[in-house]
Amino acid sequence: MKNATKVAMGGALVAPAASAQTKAAVKKDATGKSQKAFPFTTVVSFGNLLFVSGIGCRVQGTIEEETKWVLDEVEKNLVAAGSSLEKVLKVNIFMEDIKQFDRMNAVYKTRNWGTVFPARNTVQPAALPAGDYGLAIDCIAYV
């Protein structure tokens, strides 16, 4: 917090110089799968960070069922990349109907996010991609 205050007050933080033995972080596909069908990667790793692309619901149901389905898919991707929901730092939720926020949130809060919930944004975009129902979720986690 001391450093956050310093930055907020206009001070600069300087990271310690990396030693010659420090391995440089490299952007790579953390899924190990071919991504030729779409112009994006489902999970990208950079150092110990994981960036999970937006995962939309592919099955129609209630918002509760759709939320569970998407969170299950997010969790599968995290586990496959060596992480878990407990290591999620930031979540973005894109809802087709923001009026269903409380119902979505009732399912979201039952998941094992660890002792601290991740930072989160929830918005209603103009539209979800074709074939997605209810909501889409992306996140940033660590390994």
Side-chain angles (χ1 to χ4, degrees):
M1 290 300 287
K2 190 183 332 178
N3 288 337
T5 303
K6 183 176 180 181
V7 171
M9 300 292 285
L13 286 177
V14 177
S19 72
Q21 296 176 341
T22 302
K23 185 178 178 183
V26 177
K27 181 175 95 170
K28 61 183 179 179
D29 182 342
T31 65
K33 300 177 188 173
S34 172
Q35 301 292 327
K36 296 182 191 309
F38 299 102
F40 65 88
T41 304
T42 307
V43 183
V44 171
S45 66
F46 186 78
N48 71 332
L49 293 176
L50 296 173
F51 299 84
V52 180
S53 293
I55 297 174
C57 187
R58 299 311 224 163
V59 296
Q60 276 186 299
T62 65
I63 190 65
E64 292 87 355
E65 293 165 338
E66 293 165 351
T67 303
K68 180 187 180 313
W69 191 93
V70 172
L71 288 172
D72 287 346
E73 292 299 309
V74 168
E75 187 168 23
K76 286 178 197 174
N77 279 278
L78 288 168
V79 169
S83 190
S84 69
L85 288 176
E86 292 180 48
K87 295 179 178 180
V88 173
L89 302 170
K90 176 78 166 90
V91 174
N92 291 307
I93 301 176
F94 306 92
M95 296 188 68
E96 195 169 46
D97 181 0
I98 200 75
K99 293 176 190 156
Q100 296 187 22
F101 176 86
D102 290 338
R103 293 172 57 200
M104 175 279 299
N105 207 43
V107 175
Y108 178 92
K109 68 183 181 181
T110 66
R111 300 311 279 259
N112 185 11
W113 298 104
T115 57
V116 176
F117 281 103
R120 184 178 92 180
N121 289 322
T122 305
V123 297
Q124 179 178 334
L128 294 174
D132 285 354
Y133 303 100
L135 73 162
I137 296 176
D138 69 20
C139 67
I140 300 170
Y142 64 93
V143 179

